[in-house]
Amino acid sequence: MSRNKYPEETVKLILEESLKLFIEKGYESTSIQDIINHLGGLSKGAIYHHFKSKEDIFEAVCHKIGEENIVYYDKMRDDPTKNGFEKLKEMIRSAYTNPSNDAVFAMQDKITSDPKFLMNQIHESYELVAPRYIEPIIREGMADGSIQTDYPKELAGVLITLLNIWINPMIEQSTTLQMQQKLNFFRVLLGGIGIDLMDEEIMEQYMKYFEHYNQLK
Amino acid sequence: MSRNKYPEETVKLILEESLKLFIEKGYESTSIQDIINHLGGLSKGAIYHHFKSKEDIFEAVCHKIGEENIVYYDKMRDDPTKNGFEKLKEMIRSAYTNPSNDAVFAMQDKITSDPKFLMNQIHESYELVAPRYIEPIIREGMADGSIQTDYPKELAGVLITLLNIWINPMIEQSTTLQMQQKLNFFRVLLGGIGIDLMDEEIMEQYMKYFEHYNQLK
DNA sequence: CAATACATACCGACAGTCGGTATTATAAGG
DNA sequence: CCTTATAATACCGACTGTCGGTATGTATTG
């Protein structure tokens, strides 16, 4: 294939096809050759011209997904019409409404066989989402009186951990009833420290999303 | 090397040396050749006679470590001198006192670069430790009146998740102060649902273990 | 003409295979 | 109980295909 006048398009193509394959087969079992075969004539040289390693492609793919989320998160955090508590609710809700959700969750389906995605998500949660979004929102809630806690940082960590890991239907398989119980207990647990995040609406939406995921399987 | 009359010894040797190497270098960066080089004359054929793949070796190594823990857990769960609450405390304590602790934690040190170990531990926690040990112990506590909750299964899940992931110093790096705050909040959180697991003694021991780990790094 | 965007031939390392050999267990015959 | 034929096991090591990655060449753009 002859050289492209607009190399960003080539980069974009590589990232898109790589993502598809990572989702479909997992990171480890997707070979560079697999990616090449989906590039419509492009060769190994093209890939290694734009990316320095397979790992580099993986990181770029994750970064791209992350960026889409960040736009969404930024808008949420900086929304002047909501108080801290309402924003925190929105963040919780984002677990199943954020734009790249389907992609991320399709990836996670490969979690047991290919834990790279999970690790990346855990890492990003602790390094980025918690400190830059959840915690500031909680602090805002403390300032405007809509959230009462002495542990904003720790509350952020616990929320992220339980939502991403424990309640994540890809990690621990659950029946509808078990998921309902998880959400009920999550509500009780937060209620115990005076935070009533999980109202009927969020619970219902969570269950709807859960059923949706179950049907994808 | 001539053939061993007692092949279990060969298997044991392979597992021991593999574990050492997995801990030292991580799973991915340990090659079969690396293992062979530490076997004192044994060859590739020997390995593939006893194990069907590298993955198979990994699973056997994990299983072996798991077995050691199970002996410890069984003893704890079936101890007639303690009530449910005391047993649960013991289980929490076991996060830093169980026998294969050093090995497991040395492994986890490779977590970011080699997420296989973390995934294995998460999986085992949800599939084995929570349902077979934590939850029964909580139910025992409900029966003997030492623990009050309507959600034994969910409480088990949350405990395991927060201890293994959020409080695990290998996953989210923390300063001494941050770890102290985590433990404080963990206490408050459990206190909110009427469970006072984290007494002064456990908190202190946890911090001691945390400092110990920090010095290993 | 210089920098970029590719193509292609090639490399070493890797996990896993396979035909073969040496040692042991089994058991039948004396 | 001892020998001996036979089968099963324990192991060897050269070999294979695939992998991620590199080196070098070539055509296109500015």
Side-chain angles (χ1 to χ4, degrees):
Chain A
M1 211 181 179
S2 65
R3 94 180 254 185
N4 194 330
K5 202 173 168 182
Y6 306 99
E8 323 89 61
E9 289 179 0
T10 304
V11 172
K12 201 182 160 202
L13 178 65
I14 294 174
L15 289 181
E16 281 169 357
E17 295 305 314
S18 298
L19 174 57
K20 276 186 205 164
L21 285 165
F22 289 164
I23 287 173
E24 194 183 321
K25 313 177 47 171
Y27 172 78
E28 297 289 352
S29 17
T30 298
S31 68
I32 296 289
Q33 192 56 46
D34 282 334
I35 299 176
I36 295 168
N37 295 146
H38 284 75
L39 252 37
L42 279 164
S43 75
K44 205 166 209 176
I47 290 185
Y48 279 94
H49 173 69
H50 293 290
F51 300 94
K52 70 180 213 287
S53 67
K54 188 186 171 189
E55 183 89 20
D56 192 31
I57 300 178
F58 175 77
E59 276 165 25
V61 164
C62 289
H63 185 75
K64 202 181 162 196
I65 294 178
E67 264 186 341
E68 294 170 25
N69 282 335
I70 281 182
V71 174
Y72 186 74
Y73 289 156
D74 276 336
K75 214 179 285 178
M76 216 181 283
R77 184 190 51 191
D78 304 331
D79 181 353
T81 71
K82 290 198 176 78
N83 67 18
F85 183 71
E86 287 162 343
K87 286 181 186 180
L88 188 56
K89 260 191 185 171
E90 269 308 310
M91 284 300 287
I92 301 301
R93 222 190 299 267
S94 81
Y96 49 86
T97 57
N98 74 56
S100 60
N101 193 266
D102 280 345
V104 173
F105 277 172
M107 272 205 226
Q108 287 187 7
D109 209 10
K110 303 282 168 197
I111 267 179
T112 31
S113 63
D114 205 343
K116 250 183 133 56
F117 290 115
L118 176 63
M119 268 317 298
N120 186 75
Q121 196 189 335
I122 291 179
H123 195 259
E124 200 175 275
S125 295
Y126 286 142
E127 301 295 313
L128 182 76
V129 183
R132 295 230 184 277
Y133 297 94
I134 311 277
E135 189 184 335
I137 285 176
I138 293 175
R139 288 190 186 278
E140 190 184 331
M142 291 166 67
D144 67 30
S146 63
I147 299 176
Q148 272 87 42
T149 181
D150 296 325
Y151 300 92
K153 187 178 178 54
E154 290 71 27
L155 177 56
V158 165
L159 287 177
I160 280 268
T161 307
L162 292 181
L163 287 173
N164 271 333
I165 312 286
W166 181 56
I167 292 186
N168 188 331
M170 286 83 182
I171 296 182
E172 192 187 20
Q173 310 291 11
S174 303
T175 64
T176 301
L177 206 80
Q178 284 169 340
M179 181 54 81
Q180 199 107 47
Q181 282 289 90
K182 278 190 181 185
L183 294 179
N184 285 336
F185 181 64
F186 191 53
R187 183 183 202 167
V188 169
L189 190 64
L190 292 179
I193 54 169
I195 291 171
D196 190 31
L197 269 180
M198 302 296 285
D199 58 21
E200 293 298 331
E201 189 200 352
I202 290 193
M203 300 272 281
E204 256 177 48
Q205 287 178 343
Y206 242 112
M207 286 311 294
K208 220 182 250 173
Y209 148 72
F210 171 72
E211 301 293 352
H212 169 70
Y213 160 74
N214 268 352
Q215 278 173 3
L216 288 184
K217 290 198 66 179
Chain B
M1 213 184 176
S2 65
R3 98 179 252 184
N4 195 330
K5 202 173 168 182
Y6 306 99
E8 323 89 60
E9 289 179 0
T10 303
V11 171
K12 201 182 157 203
L13 178 65
I14 294 173
L15 290 181
E16 281 168 356
E17 296 305 314
S18 298
L19 174 58
K20 276 186 205 164
L21 285 165
F22 290 164
I23 288 174
E24 193 182 321
K25 312 175 49 171
Y27 171 78
E28 297 289 352
S29 13
T30 299
S31 69
I32 296 289
Q33 192 56 47
D34 283 333
I35 299 176
I36 295 167
N37 294 339
H38 284 76
L39 252 37
L42 279 164
S43 75
K44 202 166 213 176
I47 290 184
Y48 280 94
H49 173 70
H50 293 289
F51 300 94
K52 70 179 213 288
S53 68
K54 188 185 169 189
E55 182 91 19
D56 193 30
I57 298 178
F58 175 77
E59 276 166 23
V61 164
C62 289
H63 186 75
K64 202 181 160 194
I65 293 178
E67 266 187 338
E68 292 169 24
N69 282 335
I70 280 182
V71 173
Y72 185 74
Y73 288 155
D74 276 337
K75 215 179 284 177
M76 217 182 281
R77 184 189 53 192
D78 303 332
D79 180 353
T81 71
K82 291 197 176 78
N83 67 19
F85 183 70
E86 288 161 342
K87 286 181 185 179
L88 187 56
K89 260 190 184 171
E90 268 308 309
M91 285 299 287
I92 302 301
R93 221 191 299 266
S94 81
Y96 49 84
T97 58
N98 75 56
S100 59
N101 193 265
D102 281 346
V104 173
F105 277 171
M107 272 204 226
Q108 287 187 5
D109 209 10
K110 304 282 165 193
I111 268 180
T112 29
S113 63
D114 204 343
K116 249 183 134 56
F117 290 114
L118 176 63
M119 268 316 298
N120 187 74
Q121 197 189 336
I122 292 179
H123 195 259
E124 200 174 276
S125 294
Y126 286 144
E127 299 297 314
L128 182 77
V129 183
R132 295 228 186 279
Y133 297 95
I134 312 277
E135 189 184 335
I137 284 176
I138 293 175
R139 289 191 186 276
E140 191 184 330
M142 291 166 68
D144 68 30
S146 63
I147 299 175
Q148 272 87 43
T149 182
D150 294 327
Y151 300 92
K153 188 178 176 55
E154 289 72 27
L155 177 56
V158 165
L159 288 176
I160 280 268
T161 307
L162 292 181
L163 286 172
N164 271 332
I165 311 286
W166 180 56
I167 292 186
N168 189 332
M170 285 86 183
I171 296 181
E172 191 187 21
Q173 310 291 11
S174 303
T175 64
T176 301
L177 206 79
Q178 284 169 340
M179 180 54 80
Q180 200 107 48
Q181 281 289 89
K182 278 190 181 185
L183 293 179
N184 285 337
F185 180 64
F186 191 53
R187 183 182 201 167
V188 169
L189 190 65
L190 292 179
I193 54 170
I195 291 171
D196 189 29
L197 267 180
M198 301 296 285
D199 58 20
E200 293 298 331
E201 191 201 348
I202 290 193
M203 301 271 281
E204 256 176 48
Q205 287 179 343
Y206 244 112
M207 286 311 294
K208 219 182 253 173
Y209 148 73
F210 171 72
E211 301 293 352
H212 170 70
Y213 160 74
N214 268 351
Q215 278 173 2
L216 288 184
K217 292 195 65 177

